[in-house]
mmCIF file of all heavy atoms in Angstrom:
data_model
loop_
_atom_site.group_PDB
_atom_site.id
_atom_site.type_symbol
_atom_site.label_atom_id
_atom_site.label_comp_id
_atom_site.label_asym_id
_atom_site.label_seq_id
_atom_site.Cartn_x
_atom_site.Cartn_y
_atom_site.Cartn_z
ATOM 1 N N PHE I 224 -44.290 -18.605 -65.531
ATOM 2 C CA PHE I 224 -43.393 -19.173 -64.535
ATOM 3 C C PHE I 224 -43.174 -20.657 -64.797
ATOM 4 O O PHE I 224 -44.081 -21.380 -65.218
ATOM 5 C CB PHE I 224 -43.951 -18.965 -63.124
ATOM 6 C CG PHE I 224 -43.887 -17.535 -62.662
ATOM 7 C CD1 PHE I 224 -45.040 -16.782 -62.543
ATOM 8 C CD2 PHE I 224 -42.673 -16.943 -62.371
ATOM 9 C CE1 PHE I 224 -44.996 -15.460 -62.136
ATOM 10 C CE2 PHE I 224 -42.611 -15.623 -61.974
ATOM 11 C CZ PHE I 224 -43.764 -14.874 -61.849
ATOM 12 N N GLN I 225 -41.976 -21.105 -64.522
ATOM 13 C CA GLN I 225 -41.614 -22.503 -64.735
ATOM 14 C C GLN I 225 -41.915 -23.367 -63.515
ATOM 15 O O GLN I 225 -41.765 -24.597 -63.569
ATOM 16 C CB GLN I 225 -40.129 -22.617 -65.095
ATOM 17 C CG GLN I 225 -39.794 -21.951 -66.410
ATOM 18 C CD GLN I 225 -38.330 -22.082 -66.769
ATOM 19 O OE1 GLN I 225 -37.639 -22.975 -66.277
ATOM 20 N NE2 GLN I 225 -37.834 -21.203 -67.622
ATOM 21 N N GLY I 226 -42.337 -22.755 -62.429
ATOM 22 C CA GLY I 226 -42.698 -23.512 -61.246
ATOM 23 C C GLY I 226 -43.175 -22.583 -60.150
ATOM 24 O O GLY I 226 -42.910 -21.379 -60.177
ATOM 25 N N PHE I 227 -43.911 -23.159 -59.183
ATOM 26 C CA PHE I 227 -44.333 -22.380 -58.026
ATOM 27 C C PHE I 227 -43.939 -23.117 -56.752
ATOM 28 O O PHE I 227 -43.784 -24.343 -56.739
ATOM 29 C CB PHE I 227 -45.847 -22.118 -58.048
ATOM 30 C CG PHE I 227 -46.703 -23.312 -57.671
ATOM 31 C CD1 PHE I 227 -47.070 -23.552 -56.352
ATOM 32 C CD2 PHE I 227 -47.147 -24.199 -58.646
ATOM 33 C CE1 PHE I 227 -47.855 -24.651 -56.008
ATOM 34 C CE2 PHE I 227 -47.941 -25.293 -58.319
ATOM 35 C CZ PHE I 227 -48.288 -25.517 -56.991
ATOM 36 N N CYS I 228 -43.786 -22.348 -55.669
ATOM 37 C CA CYS I 228 -43.341 -22.905 -54.395
ATOM 38 C C CYS I 228 -44.416 -22.794 -53.332
ATOM 39 O O CYS I 228 -45.057 -21.748 -53.186
ATOM 40 C CB CYS I 228 -42.100 -22.171 -53.893
ATOM 41 S SG CYS I 228 -40.618 -22.446 -54.872
ATOM 42 N N SER I 229 -44.584 -23.865 -52.586
ATOM 43 C CA SER I 229 -45.372 -23.844 -51.358
ATOM 44 C C SER I 229 -44.405 -23.716 -50.176
ATOM 45 O O SER I 229 -43.197 -23.594 -50.357
ATOM 46 C CB SER I 229 -46.203 -25.126 -51.245
ATOM 47 O OG SER I 229 -45.361 -26.278 -51.275
ATOM 48 N N ALA I 230 -44.964 -23.741 -48.950
ATOM 49 C CA ALA I 230 -44.105 -23.557 -47.776
ATOM 50 C C ALA I 230 -44.680 -24.271 -46.563
ATOM 51 O O ALA I 230 -44.604 -23.765 -45.451
ATOM 52 C CB ALA I 230 -43.928 -22.063 -47.487
ATOM 53 N N TYR I 231 -45.245 -25.466 -46.780
ATOM 54 C CA TYR I 231 -45.888 -26.149 -45.664
ATOM 55 C C TYR I 231 -45.059 -27.309 -45.114
ATOM 56 O O TYR I 231 -45.493 -28.028 -44.226
ATOM 57 C CB TYR I 231 -47.288 -26.635 -46.047
ATOM 58 C CG TYR I 231 -47.366 -27.489 -47.288
ATOM 59 C CD1 TYR I 231 -46.918 -28.802 -47.300
ATOM 60 C CD2 TYR I 231 -47.921 -26.983 -48.456
ATOM 61 C CE1 TYR I 231 -47.003 -29.584 -48.430
ATOM 62 C CE2 TYR I 231 -48.030 -27.757 -49.598
ATOM 63 C CZ TYR I 231 -47.567 -29.061 -49.579
ATOM 64 O OH TYR I 231 -47.657 -29.840 -50.709
ATOM 65 N N GLY I 232 -43.855 -27.516 -45.611
ATOM 66 C CA GLY I 232 -42.992 -28.545 -45.083
ATOM 67 C C GLY I 232 -43.174 -29.876 -45.774
ATOM 68 O O GLY I 232 -44.058 -30.652 -45.410
ATOM 69 N N ALA I 233 -42.345 -30.146 -46.791
ATOM 70 C CA ALA I 233 -42.417 -31.431 -47.497
ATOM 71 C C ALA I 233 -41.159 -31.583 -48.349
ATOM 72 O O ALA I 233 -40.550 -30.593 -48.768
ATOM 73 C CB ALA I 233 -43.661 -31.509 -48.381
ATOM 74 N N TYR I 234 -40.794 -32.834 -48.586
ATOM 75 C CA TYR I 234 -39.662 -33.137 -49.466
ATOM 76 C C TYR I 234 -40.123 -33.124 -50.925
ATOM 77 O O TYR I 234 -41.294 -33.316 -51.231
ATOM 78 C CB TYR I 234 -39.098 -34.524 -49.150
ATOM 79 C CG TYR I 234 -38.601 -34.689 -47.742
ATOM 80 C CD1 TYR I 234 -39.321 -35.450 -46.825
ATOM 81 C CD2 TYR I 234 -37.413 -34.102 -47.322
ATOM 82 C CE1 TYR I 234 -38.875 -35.618 -45.526
ATOM 83 C CE2 TYR I 234 -36.957 -34.262 -46.018
ATOM 84 C CZ TYR I 234 -37.693 -35.019 -45.125
ATOM 85 O OH TYR I 234 -37.255 -35.181 -43.834
ATOM 86 N N ASN I 235 -39.162 -32.950 -51.823
ATOM 87 C CA ASN I 235 -39.385 -33.140 -53.251
ATOM 88 C C ASN I 235 -38.795 -34.487 -53.628
ATOM 89 O O ASN I 235 -37.598 -34.739 -53.407
ATOM 90 C CB ASN I 235 -38.709 -32.021 -54.049
ATOM 91 C CG ASN I 235 -39.301 -30.671 -53.732
ATOM 92 O OD1 ASN I 235 -40.358 -30.308 -54.235
ATOM 93 N ND2 ASN I 235 -38.637 -29.913 -52.865
ATOM 94 N N LEU I 236 -39.611 -35.351 -54.197
ATOM 95 C CA LEU I 236 -39.183 -36.702 -54.524
ATOM 96 C C LEU I 236 -39.194 -36.906 -56.035
ATOM 97 O O LEU I 236 -40.130 -36.484 -56.717
ATOM 98 C CB LEU I 236 -40.113 -37.725 -53.869
ATOM 99 C CG LEU I 236 -40.226 -37.633 -52.336
ATOM 100 C CD1 LEU I 236 -41.229 -38.662 -51.829
ATOM 101 C CD2 LEU I 236 -38.874 -37.822 -51.679
ATOM 102 N N PRO I 237 -38.156 -37.534 -56.570
ATOM 103 C CA PRO I 237 -38.136 -37.817 -58.004
ATOM 104 C C PRO I 237 -39.377 -38.566 -58.442
ATOM 105 O O PRO I 237 -39.835 -39.500 -57.780
ATOM 106 C CB PRO I 237 -36.867 -38.675 -58.155
ATOM 107 C CG PRO I 237 -35.977 -38.193 -57.044
ATOM 108 C CD PRO I 237 -36.902 -37.931 -55.893
ATOM 109 N N GLY I 238 -39.934 -38.128 -59.558
ATOM 110 C CA GLY I 238 -41.155 -38.718 -60.083
ATOM 111 C C GLY I 238 -42.405 -37.948 -59.735
ATOM 112 O O GLY I 238 -43.464 -38.202 -60.308
ATOM 113 N N GLN I 239 -42.309 -36.980 -58.802
ATOM 114 C CA GLN I 239 -43.455 -36.145 -58.463
ATOM 115 C C GLN I 239 -43.661 -35.077 -59.537
ATOM 116 O O GLN I 239 -42.864 -34.927 -60.467
ATOM 117 C CB GLN I 239 -43.232 -35.448 -57.116
ATOM 118 C CG GLN I 239 -43.322 -36.350 -55.903
ATOM 119 C CD GLN I 239 -43.091 -35.578 -54.611
ATOM 120 O OE1 GLN I 239 -42.383 -34.561 -54.603
ATOM 121 N NE2 GLN I 239 -43.675 -36.052 -53.530
ATOM 122 N N ASP I 240 -44.745 -34.315 -59.381
ATOM 123 C CA ASP I 240 -44.982 -33.125 -60.188
ATOM 124 C C ASP I 240 -43.864 -32.115 -59.917
ATOM 125 O O ASP I 240 -43.657 -31.703 -58.779
ATOM 126 C CB ASP I 240 -46.348 -32.555 -59.803
ATOM 127 C CG ASP I 240 -46.522 -31.103 -60.214
ATOM 128 O OD1 ASP I 240 -45.939 -30.702 -61.230
ATOM 129 O OD2 ASP I 240 -47.269 -30.397 -59.510
ATOM 130 N N ALA I 241 -43.155 -31.706 -60.958
ATOM 131 C CA ALA I 241 -42.026 -30.790 -60.794
ATOM 132 C C ALA I 241 -42.414 -29.328 -60.936
ATOM 133 O O ALA I 241 -41.581 -28.450 -60.712
ATOM 134 C CB ALA I 241 -40.930 -31.124 -61.805
#
Side-chain angles (χ1 to χ4, degrees):
F224 289 109
Q225 296 181 22
F227 75 90
C228 292
S229 58
Y231 54 73
Y234 300 107
N235 297 280
L236 302 177
Q239 288 180 332
D240 161 31

